[in-house]
Amino acid sequence: QVQLVESGGGSVQAGDSLRLSCAASGETPCIDSMGWYRQAPGKERELVAVITSDGSTNYLDSVKGRFTISRDNAKERLYLQMNSLKPEDTAVYYCHADPRCWGHPDDYWGQGTQVTVSS
């Protein structure tokens, strides 16, 4: 099994930056791609950024050029650097991992961390 714990959320002003971190533990060699999702009140959860095991990345169009996803496999951590934050970035941000080993569930989720951006 894999456990994911996010940290780094908070309340900021528009234009500020935040860095989210996700600590992975357990059977981490079974993790393939990892990503960050977010869910705003009344909206569906959406994929913000994803990074594969070989470092390829992809981003939601609205965050391209502002957010950067990275992972440190040695430290078993996933990061999301968020710059030039906008009020529409306000949401609960979730860390996600795709396992690749037999016997694991389809995916793993963290508990979420709140990001609030005020204008």
Side-chain angles (χ1 to χ4, degrees), residues 4-5 8 13 22 34 47-48 53 59 68 70 77 82 99 110 112:
L4 303 173
V5 179
Q13 298 288 319
C22 173
M34 298 187 74
L47 176 63
V48 176
S53 56
Y59 296 90
T68 303
S70 62
R77 284 188 175 267
M82 305 186 293

Side-chain angles (χ1 to χ4, degrees), residues 12-96:
V12 297
Q13 298 288 319
D16 286 350
S17 298
L18 277 176
R19 188 193 194 203
L20 304 183
S21 180
C22 173
S25 61
E27 297 178 70
T28 55
C30 285
I31 294 176
D32 191 357
S33 62
M34 298 187 74
W36 289 96
Y37 286 72
R38 68 186 181 187
Q39 187 166 21
K43 295 187 177 181
E44 294 188 354
R45 191 173 296 190
E46 62 180 356
L47 176 63
V48 176
V50 63
I51 183 167
T52 64
S53 56
D54 63 1
S56 298
T57 59
N58 202 6
Y59 296 90
L60 180 69
D61 283 346
S62 62
V63 308
K64 285 181 180 177
R66 300 188 298 122
F67 291 11
T68 303
I69 189 171
S70 62
R71 66 193 288 178
D72 185 332
N73 292 327
K75 295 183 179 179
E76 299 177 329
R77 284 188 175 267
L78 177 72
Y79 302 100
L80 185 68
Q81 178 66 43
M82 305 186 293
N83 298 329
S84 302
L85 282 162
K86 303 176 180 180
E88 51 263 43
D89 295 319
T90 295
V92 177
Y93 284 71
Y94 297 91
C95 178
H96 174 268

